[in-house]
Amino acid sequence: MTALPQLAGNPMQDALNATGIQAAHVENLWWLMFWVCTAVFVAVMVALLASVARARRAEQRDETRVSAQGERRLTRWVAGALAVSAVLLGVLFFASIFTDRALAQLPLEDALHIEVTGYQWWWEAAYDDPTPSNVFTTANELHIPVGRPVMMTLRASDVIHSLWIPNLAGKKDLIPGRTNTLALRADAPGVYRAQCAEFCGWQHANMALFVVAESPADFARWLDAQRKPAAEPTTDAMRHGRDVFEKGTCAMCHAIKGTSANAARAPDLTHVASRRSLGAGVIPNTAEHRAAWVGNAQAIKPGTNMPPQPLPAADFDALLAYLGSLQ
Amino acid sequence: MTAGATVTGGIGRSSTSPPAGAWAEREGVFGALATVDHKRVGRRFIVTAFGFFACAGILAALMRLQLAFPEQTLLSADKYNQIFTTHGTAMMFLFAVPMGQAVAIYLVPLMIGARNIAFPRMVAYAYWVYLIGGVMLFVALILDIGPDAGWFSYTPLAGPQYGIGKRSDFWAQLITFTELSGLMVAVALITTILKFRAPGMSLDRIPLFVWAMLGTNFMIVFGMPAVMVSSTALIMDRLVGTHFFNPAAGGDSLLWQHLFWFFGHPEVYFIFMPGLGVVSAIVAAFSRRPVFAYPAMVLSLNATAFRAFGLWVHHMFATSIPELGKSFFTAASMVIAIPTAIQIFCWIATIATGRIVLRTPMLYILGFFFILVLGGLTGVMLASVPLDLQIHDTYFVVAHLHYVLIGGMVFPIFGGFFYWFPKFAGRMLDEALGKVTFWLMFVGFNVTFFPMHVLGLAGMPRRVYTYPADMGWGPLNLTATIGAAVLAAGVALFVFNVVRSLLRGEQAPDDPWQADTLEWATSSPPGPGNFAEPPVVGSREPLWSPHGIVGRVRGLSVEVPEVLVTTAIDARPDSRNAMPGPSLMPPIAAVLTSVMLISSIFTPWAVVWGTIPVVIALTIWFWPTKRETEQHIKLEKPP
Amino acid sequence: MRAPELAVDAPPMQSGDVDAKTLPSFVYGHRSTMWWGTVGVAAIEGTVFALAIMVYFYVRTRVTVWPPEAPPPDMLWGTVNTVVLLLSLIPNHFTKKAAERRDLHAVRVGMMICIAFAFVFLFVRALELMMLNVRWDTNAYGSAVWFLLGLHTTHLLTDWFDTVVLAVLMFTGPIEGRRFVDASENAMYWNFVVAAWLPIYAVIYLAPRLL
């Protein structure tokens, strides 16, 4: 079925631009429902307008209208319309059930397991693996291999959130005290944007996530890089920056694998420079934006849980140099 | 005068003019505060509900201004969150449900040939409680401590840990105010409809509007308690440390959702059903024939009322509820379309075989058909679990809900305003302005909300104070904002029309539309006591059938306001009831209740010491006076 | 299409007319509006109780051990109160019948006995609340139990107060026929409060032991 002409939107966050099988099933259902409902709507409006036209003529001609025979004929019409409506509803109901079944039948062999935890206003993703040393945590950006199923376990640390990657699948809620799951598969490479879809407070509007679907080879390279501990500093400035990080307030919330910082209250920064965005999709991840964010995240995303960092200039520049090296 | 005439003050005049003495309204401030005349209380209720509609509409305008362009900073995130929460809360709890109740308070006694509503002081009390609660909500917003967790106030966001300050307490207590008010009005309306009908007006002869209000109020009796329970549990979690919604201590955030939506889904039918009643009234009058298939219409209304309680989980499809359970609710949510479809087809059949009068009230009904049917169809889409998982919590739902609520309730109510304004105010609204108002509202509405379907599918979630520039959502958002301006212009023109008509509108006759229901058999506006001699009814269309009115009720007292009480099903005359006169106790008790409720936001002990003055006031309210008792004893006749 | 206007000078009673003077000015049971008001309140409050019971069982599904972190509430005072409440139905019924006969003396006596029962069951309720073995802020189970008991206690209090007010009125006057209807409807409300207690008792005291 053809997609709607691009009246709105961006193809990277679009339910009608399905690039994964789960979203594709739903998109098919959408078009079926859309055409059936449009047909019904048009039919009802035509009937209404025709009735209005008849009634206007009758008023102009001052006719009397109601008769027992007329009422019986009307009963047949109404009953007929009702029967057609019931049949169409039945069709849509079964279409919905079939789509449900198709979604439940996503083959899950060799699925990639990711544990996603929602926080006020960012996403934590832990890539699971049978080998403990291969487990790593990242934030606000997922990479997944094209053609391979992904099974996400969804939890919430504070309030209810909802993970919605429209190009790939319907949404699922992240509910504190409960575990939910979302299974999907990307069938075309691309960068897809997801957003939190359950009002979660102050900065709900700025809680996005990027899902990068890439070839298995590219994915394997990314996985390898993410599994490694943080890059060793190569300059004095970077070494000083790491010092600032480990001994200052940063380490109270953030972790960098391979350093002494291992708090888990904020995004893991081991490979922060490799990410496309900062602040859960709020700003692009460039040197200037990094500096602005670290300096005063409140000015960019008011209410975020990261306090401003009023460091002396030398420390600040060193810290930024170090963070910029964490590919 | 012939020998057989009974000698009472009212007999010398026509049946439509007011009786002397017993029902007379008091003057001045006392009269205004103490009135127990359902028409006066009803009018004030309607005006207040409209006022909240306008205030919530202004909030919507602010939201649309903020969203007209991406990344605007007109409203901060926090301010926007308070504003959208208050917009939804006010529209649902302070406008949509109370407006249907208010219109019923005014019209139901008239339509059933009664002289007043049952429990009139309780209805007056309900009004004041509602008014004070609503004002409290807006004061909280203005003081920047307004609730900010959405009109549905999910936990844990609204709970003690993440819902800081008193914001969500104001929300929860607003619920207490509006539910108290709504439940009292529901009991009064049900009693009125079942016991105060004119003799001969058996249940199969009551107007469809009255059936709709009977269904609505039964739903309210069984549906509103759920939100009372949930909001009380929320206040307790926040104030005294209970753990209903705290997963760390055995509670559950989904419990909130179940309790809230068990109320919340029927609530949209509390809103929709009065609209359905208004549509029947206007379609009949403006097609010059009774609505086709009255029994089918009645069954559909009642079926809808029952089924409304079986859909609530469709608001929770994205949670971790088992899939099989969800499918049940898909079926239920689709099946409820059937009784509504029956009504739509019956109305179209009525028009097709009628003689249409295309005046403003009927235009609004045609608008209703277009908008509500479209909204109902998107509802069928949302009923499907897999499709819902894509469009849930997006602008698609914003579009759907406004199509069904504005199409299903606001358009009929505006049609109802144009239809019944002559009866409420004794003047006609300007017809030419009315037509312009309709078109502004119809076009404005569709331009505002239709694009939102596309925005939702294009990835725009709900409840966002801004959106990035590179998402491409800007143009449709701007379109929606422009549509909102047109819609607002229509509403403003309506207000202008009302004010102008009140000042210098054309005087209205008793029955400007030549309609079929009993309110049109009184003067415009009706006098105190409505009917000097209430009618005895002989058919379903008392003003259209040759034997519509077969007699009069004589012998009701003129010293004491008496109403006739009839049997619940057949409306056989059964007893007479002396009604209370004007009293200041309802507003006084309402103020004391409000003090108790608002104080208890700040300390739980207020529930204890605040109750004492309320109890004293209620005792004084109940306590009969010697004078009243003596008057009653003079008229007394035991069963 | 309209019925003919009535003449300005009222004609004599016609066959369809109703003479309200022949009708009683107060009636009992479902013939009275007071009954409908009371039944309306009972429907609302009954729904609230049902929902509170559902909350209790919902919370139960979230844990494996029930009750969590506490022994079940002591049976003694709850059972005593159930007996007291059931016994109170006797003077309540007597009062209702007396009201329907408009026997003022019997109504006064009946109400005094009912009020005596009310003092007893309120006192025992206080004892119950002290022996629940859990606080409302301990966990969700505690919250649900206190919620149920709190709701019912509120009804006991309003029942007691309504009866006191009516009883005083029966002594001081002014009395008319309608006050007997009020007394009869008050008795019906009393029946509702007692009837509502039985499932709540079962849920709070029996369910944790039997289920």
Side-chain angles (χ1 to χ4, degrees):
Chain A
M1 281 286 177
T2 54
L4 277 174
Q6 275 301 327
L7 295 174
N10 182 321
M12 63 176 3
Q13 185 173 333
D14 188 344
L16 296 183
N17 179 26
T19 50
I21 180 146
Q22 305 292 71
H25 287 310
V26 176
E27 195 179 339
N28 291 337
L29 178 65
W30 155 257
W31 287 115
L32 171 67
M33 293 192 112
F34 172 77
W35 287 115
V36 171
C37 290
T38 303
V40 169
F41 181 72
V42 167
V44 173
M45 289 303 114
V46 164
L48 177 65
L49 290 172
S51 305
V52 170
R54 278 191 78 182
R56 275 196 97 174
R57 278 198 303 276
E59 172 72 350
Q60 282 150 4
R61 292 185 214 147
D62 204 24
E63 302 167 356
T64 47
R65 302 300 314 280
V66 185
S67 70
Q69 186 202 39
E71 300 290 85
R72 272 198 299 279
R73 248 195 17 236
L74 272 184
T75 309
R76 284 194 287 272
W77 271 104
V78 169
L82 190 62
V84 170
S85 309
V87 166
L88 289 175
L89 264 183
V91 165
L92 295 181
F93 176 71
F94 280 109
S96 174
I97 297 293
F98 283 136
T99 309
D100 247 338
R101 285 183 57 202
L103 290 174
Q105 281 162 359
L106 176 71
L108 290 172
E109 297 96 39
D110 193 34
L112 176 65
H113 285 267
I114 309 179
E115 308 221 337
V116 178
T117 305
Y119 290 79
Q120 277 178 318
W121 305 286
W122 61 280
W123 305 91
E124 176 186 274
Y127 277 69
D128 214 358
D129 195 274
T131 316
S133 57
N134 282 342
V135 173
F136 67 91
T137 303
T138 182
N140 300 326
E141 184 170 306
L142 300 179
H143 286 238
I144 58 176
V146 170
R148 188 170 153 209
V150 177
M151 175 61 106
M152 292 190 233
T153 314
L154 307 176
R155 295 190 180 85
S157 130
D158 39 33
V159 300
I160 301 180
H161 301 273
S162 191
L163 178 58
W164 185 37
I165 318 165
N167 296 65
L168 297 180
K171 61 185 64 71
K172 274 294 169 71
D173 287 353
L174 290 75
I175 301 169
R178 285 176 177 268
T179 305
N180 216 347
T181 57
L182 177 61
L184 52 82
R185 188 183 78 208
D187 292 313
V191 177
Y192 307 115
R193 188 173 182 274
Q195 232 178 303
C196 176
E198 183 59 63
F199 182 66
C200 53
W202 207 326
Q203 285 292 346
H204 162 70
N206 286 321
M207 187 171 160
L209 171 83
F210 285 98
V211 178
V212 179
E214 46 197 5
S215 72
D218 287 339
F219 174 72
R221 264 192 293 279
W222 178 84
L223 208 58
D224 268 340
Q226 294 288 321
R227 282 173 174 158
K228 295 194 173 72
E232 274 296 307
T234 50
T235 70
D236 282 334
M238 289 184 203
R239 257 184 290 275
H240 180 56
R242 182 174 64 179
D243 247 10
V244 169
F245 188 94
E246 286 177 309
K247 296 185 176 124
T249 52
C250 312
M252 288 175 61
C253 299
H254 291 279
I256 294 182
K257 208 153 114 179
T259 69
S260 64
N262 60 3
R265 288 213 284 275
D268 185 299
L269 299 179
T270 311
H271 300 282
V272 60
S274 71
R275 302 208 271 259
R276 305 168 58 85
S277 75
L278 287 178
V282 157
I283 46 174
N285 192 1
T286 67
E288 301 83 47
H289 282 111
R290 257 195 309 274
W293 179 265
V294 173
N296 187 3
Q298 296 294 324
I300 299 170
K301 192 170 170 180
T304 189
N305 287 316
M306 171 143 165
Q309 303 297 318
L311 294 167
D315 288 349
F316 189 80
D317 291 337
L319 175 64
L320 264 304
Y322 175 60
L323 292 175
S325 75
L326 296 176
Q327 285 291 337
Chain B
M1 291 230 185
T2 59
T6 45
V7 181
T8 53
I11 284 302
R13 311 171 203 177
S14 89
S15 60
T16 58
S17 60
W23 294 93
E25 276 292 287
R26 305 282 200 87
E27 295 298 308
V29 176
F30 174 82
L33 289 175
T35 184
V36 289
D37 177 353
H38 75 101
K39 299 184 298 297
R40 218 165 159 191
V41 176
R43 257 198 330 261
R44 145 188 320 170
F45 224 127
I46 290 172
V47 170
T48 306
F50 192 87
F52 285 125
F53 171 69
C55 291
I58 289 170
L59 296 180
L62 289 172
M63 288 158 65
R64 281 303 343 146
L65 284 173
Q66 164 69 8
L67 293 175
F69 298 99
E71 296 172 31
Q72 284 215 104
T73 52
L74 185 71
L75 296 173
S76 69
D78 182 50
K79 208 67 203 177
Y80 184 90
N81 294 342
Q82 286 184 63
I83 286 175
F84 90 73
T85 299
T86 308
H87 166 78
T89 305
M91 280 296 190
M92 295 298 275
F93 292 106
L94 298 174
F95 162 66
V97 176
M99 181 60 91
Q101 300 285 71
V103 169
I105 289 169
Y106 191 103
L107 285 175
V108 165
L110 291 167
M111 280 187 179
I112 60 176
R115 287 168 135 192
N116 203 357
I117 199 171
F119 310 125
R121 289 177 299 182
M122 189 167 80
V123 174
Y125 170 84
Y127 168 76
W128 295 110
V129 164
Y130 154 75
L131 171 70
I132 297 172
V135 168
M136 174 199 74
L137 177 73
F138 279 92
V139 166
L141 174 66
I142 289 167
L143 293 178
D144 207 24
I145 48 174
D148 60 352
W151 85 277
F152 50 97
S153 194
Y154 274 7
T155 57
L157 184 63
Q161 195 177 355
Y162 298 100
I164 48 169
K166 291 296 175 189
R167 296 174 167 203
S168 288
D169 297 300
F170 283 109
W171 181 89
Q173 210 59 298
L174 173 83
I175 301 302
T176 310
F177 277 103
T178 52
E179 305 314 288
L180 188 60
S181 171
L183 285 166
M184 293 187 146
V185 172
V187 172
L189 280 171
I190 291 174
T191 308
T192 308
I193 293 172
L194 292 178
K195 298 301 292 172
F196 279 17
R197 300 198 309 278
M201 189 183 275
S202 47
L203 276 183
D204 64 336
R205 285 178 178 165
I206 65 177
L208 287 169
F209 176 79
V210 177
W211 268 115
M213 292 317 302
L214 189 63
T216 303
N217 286 293
F218 267 105
M219 285 197 287
I220 288 178
V221 162
F222 292 106
M224 271 189 180
V227 76
M228 269 285 227
V229 167
S230 64
S231 66
T232 305
L234 178 65
I235 281 197
M236 291 198 295
D237 266 21
R238 291 171 60 87
L239 215 62
V240 295
T242 51
H243 296 287
F244 292 102
F245 309 117
N246 177 9
D252 189 11
S253 1
L254 280 192
L255 176 61
W256 170 268
Q257 294 190 29
H258 280 296
L259 283 172
F260 183 81
W261 290 118
F262 186 74
F263 150 80
H265 192 80
E267 190 201 19
V268 309
Y269 290 92
F270 306 165
I271 296 170
F272 182 41
M273 198 166 278
L276 296 176
V278 173
V279 173
S280 283
I282 296 179
V283 164
F286 288 75
S287 307
R288 299 215 188 286
R289 59 151 292 174
V291 174
F292 171 72
Y294 178 94
M297 295 290 291
V298 172
L299 281 173
S300 300
L301 281 170
N302 288 312
T304 306
F306 274 99
R307 293 244 185 80
F309 285 88
L311 310 188
W312 83 93
V313 175
H314 71 213
H315 299 271
M316 299 166 65
F317 281 158
T319 65
S320 47
I321 285 178
E323 295 306 314
L324 185 60
K326 291 180 191 173
S327 300
F328 168 81
F329 287 94
T330 296
S333 306
M334 287 186 173
V335 162
I336 201 168
I338 303 262
T340 306
I342 292 175
Q343 294 197 55
I344 304 266
F345 299 145
C346 286
W347 284 319
I348 294 179
T350 308
I351 296 171
T353 52
R355 295 165 43 177
I356 200 167
V357 178
L358 273 175
R359 304 275 296 267
T360 305
M362 194 55 170
L363 288 182
Y364 274 98
I365 300 311
L366 296 179
F368 151 84
F369 280 114
F370 183 96
I371 299 173
L372 184 275
V373 171
L374 202 156
L377 290 167
T378 57
V380 170
M381 293 175 177
L382 284 159
S384 153
V385 173
L387 184 50
D388 180 73
L389 290 179
Q390 279 284 30
I391 50 186
H392 167 64
D393 254 328
T394 69
Y395 262 80
F396 190 95
V397 181
V398 176
H400 162 73
L401 77 91
H402 286 93
Y403 266 82
V404 284
L405 290 177
I406 296 185
M409 185 265 179
V410 175
F411 269 68
I413 281 288
F414 270 78
F417 287 152
F418 280 89
Y419 180 48
W420 280 301
F421 189 83
K423 187 57 55 180
F424 296 161
R427 310 256 185 177
M428 304 298 291
L429 282 173
D430 185 282
E431 176 60 24
L433 279 182
K435 290 199 160 90
V436 174
T437 305
F438 165 75
W439 284 109
L440 283 173
M441 286 179 67
F442 183 77
V443 170
F445 170 83
N446 281 293
V447 171
T448 309
F449 292 102
F450 193 83
M452 293 184 184
H453 295 107
V454 181
L455 281 171
L457 287 162
M460 185 171 177
R462 284 176 88 165
R463 300 164 182 149
V464 290
Y465 76 96
T466 190
Y467 52 92
D470 57 354
M471 293 315 296
W473 297 329
L476 285 184
N477 268 291
L478 181 59
T479 309
T481 302
I482 293 169
V486 174
L487 178 57
V491 176
L493 188 61
F494 170 77
V495 173
F496 171 76
N497 197 349
V498 167
V499 172
R500 193 157 155 276
S501 300
L502 286 174
L503 295 175
R504 11 177 267 235
E506 183 195 325
Q507 292 275 6
D510 289 1
D511 188 2
W513 313 109
Q514 279 136 48
D516 63 331
T517 40
L518 282 177
E519 75 272 27
W520 303 107
T522 63
S523 55
S524 293
N530 302 340
F531 304 92
E533 296 183 321
V536 175
V537 156
S539 92
R540 207 179 275 163
E541 290 84 35
L543 302 188
W544 279 353
S545 319
H547 301 292
I549 296 184
V550 298
R552 294 272 150 192
V553 176
R554 308 272 168 93
L556 290 171
S557 164
V558 285
E559 282 106 35
V560 159
E562 270 194 333
V563 300
L564 181 75
V565 179
T566 54
T567 57
I569 298 188
D570 293 329
R572 279 175 290 108
D574 194 41
S575 67
R576 53 197 159 84
N577 204 349
M579 300 296 279
S583 163
L584 279 179
M585 293 321 295
I588 291 174
V591 168
L592 294 171
T593 308
S594 306
V595 167
M596 186 262 281
L597 288 178
I598 297 178
S599 310
S600 63
I601 289 176
F602 299 96
T603 161
W605 285 110
V607 177
V608 174
W609 50 251
T611 302
I612 297 170
V614 174
V615 166
I616 295 173
L618 292 176
T619 308
I620 296 173
W621 171 336
F622 159 76
W623 202 267
T625 62
K626 267 192 112 139
R627 194 176 136 267
E628 222 176 47
T629 306
E630 274 157 14
Q631 280 182 324
H632 293 170
I633 289 177
K634 269 195 277 186
L635 299 164
E636 193 164 279
K637 188 171 187 297
Chain C
M1 287 198 285
R2 299 196 56 183
E5 286 283 8
L6 287 185
V8 172
D9 283 313
M13 297 277 272
Q14 302 178 342
S15 61
D17 286 351
V18 168
D19 186 358
K21 278 210 173 55
T22 62
L23 298 172
S25 65
F26 64 93
V27 284
Y28 294 93
H30 67 85
R31 296 171 72 190
S32 92
T33 53
M34 224 24 224
W35 184 93
W36 288 88
T38 309
V39 165
V41 168
I44 292 166
E45 298 305 311
T47 306
V48 174
F49 285 134
L51 288 165
I53 290 175
M54 281 190 237
V55 168
Y56 178 98
F57 283 111
Y58 184 97
V59 162
R60 197 196 155 120
T61 63
R62 306 292 297 153
V63 292
T64 42
V65 175
W66 190 260
E69 299 164 26
D74 285 2
M75 287 285 287
L76 174 64
W77 294 115
T79 311
V80 165
N81 226 1
T82 306
V83 172
V84 171
L85 282 166
L86 285 170
L87 286 175
S88 78
L89 291 178
I90 299 172
N92 187 51
H93 179 75
F94 170 79
T95 310
K96 187 166 198 282
K97 288 296 169 206
E100 283 157 22
R101 287 191 319 263
R102 295 196 306 288
D103 179 348
L104 182 60
H105 175 73
V107 167
R108 285 172 173 164
V109 167
M111 283 193 161
M112 296 301 287
I113 302 177
C114 287
I115 290 170
F117 269 90
F119 277 110
V120 173
F121 63 53
L122 282 172
F123 176 73
V124 177
R125 176 54 54 87
L127 293 174
E128 276 185 82
L129 288 170
M130 296 195 292
M131 315 285 255
L132 286 175
N133 297 324
V134 71
R135 277 167 56 106
W136 64 90
D137 56 359
T138 309
N139 51 32
Y141 157 73
S143 307
V145 168
W146 277 83
F147 188 47
L148 264 172
L149 267 174
L151 279 173
H152 191 261
T153 307
T154 308
H155 284 83
L156 287 181
L157 286 167
T158 55
D159 214 358
W160 162 76
F161 188 77
D162 287 347
T163 310
V164 166
V165 167
L166 266 176
V168 170
L169 183 61
M170 290 295 162
F171 281 95
T172 63
I175 311 263
E176 50 157 314
R178 284 144 59 97
R179 301 282 85 86
F180 288 105
V181 176
D182 291 340
S184 168
E185 294 315 317
N186 187 60
M188 184 174 72
Y189 176 63
W190 188 294
N191 288 338
F192 164 72
V193 174
V194 173
W197 171 245
L198 299 175
I200 295 173
Y201 170 78
V203 168
I204 293 179
Y205 293 97
L206 299 180
R209 294 178 163 94
L210 299 177
L211 291 179

